[in-house]
Amino acid sequence: MAGENDKILVDLGLAESLTEAPLWKKGLDYFNKGAVGKIYSYAPGEFEAKVEGNGRFPYKCTIVIREGRLASHNCDCEAHRRYPGPCKHVIALLMKVAEEKGLPQKESLDFDFDQTGGDDFFDDLPIRKDD
């Protein structure tokens, strides 16, 4: 397992700005009600947890964070299979990782876009849009 005390950068401000507000709020609600179970990390920046949802059993969620950004994610819920982008369970896990494993955050993290490649947080991951 990766180091228990290793802290990583998790840019929640950027993630929120690139996620539709209703989806972000649902993830925040799940996080606030304690739906995310114990976080496991088997490699630096890689996290896994069970997240309680509307289903009969908790959903298994995994995320990978690189340079403060959500690089990849997976959840075994129906919404994650049907729609592109992160689901509310992934958002809740991202928030818990930021709380437990993340470096202290400012209100909005400042990024040097020349160094990080610009505003391409989810370039490879289409964002779900609620119509």
Side-chain angles (χ1 to χ4, degrees):
M1 215 180 293
E4 289 293 318
N5 296 322
D6 293 344
K7 297 289 185 182
I8 67 164
L9 174 65
V10 181
D11 190 345
L12 288 178
L14 183 57
E16 180 180 10
S17 73
L18 295 169
T19 304
E20 289 294 313
L23 179 62
W24 187 263
K25 184 182 179 324
K26 288 176 185 178
L28 179 60
D29 289 345
Y30 273 53
F31 168 74
N32 284 333
K33 72 178 185 180
V36 182
K38 180 175 173 55
I39 296 174
Y40 296 92
S41 181
Y42 303 105
E46 297 180 15
F47 304 95
E48 176 181 292
K50 299 279 185 166
V51 180
E52 296 287 337
N54 295 327
R56 185 170 164 193
F57 300 104
Y59 299 108
K60 178 182 173 184
C61 294
T62 57
I63 60 174
V64 176
I65 300 170
R66 300 282 183 252
E67 297 180 3
R69 299 163 181 241
L70 185 61
S72 68
H73 53 82
N74 193 31
C75 180
D76 57 11
C77 75
E78 181 67 22
H80 198 272
R81 287 189 296 272
R82 295 177 105 193
Y83 305 105
C87 64
K88 60 190 172 188
H89 311 104
V90 166
I91 298 297
L93 175 55
L94 182 66
M95 291 176 182
K96 184 156 183 183
V97 167
E99 178 185 67
E100 291 187 3
K101 312 285 186 189
L103 293 168
Q105 296 195 29
K106 296 187 276 182
E107 187 70 30
S108 174
L109 294 176
D110 297 322
F111 265 86
D112 177 1
F113 287 109
D114 292 332
Q115 184 181 46
T116 62
D119 190 15
D120 59 353
F121 186 81
F122 284 118
D123 274 358
D124 296 329
L125 304 171
I127 302 298
R128 177 183 359 222
K129 301 289 183 185
D130 293 336
D131 291 323

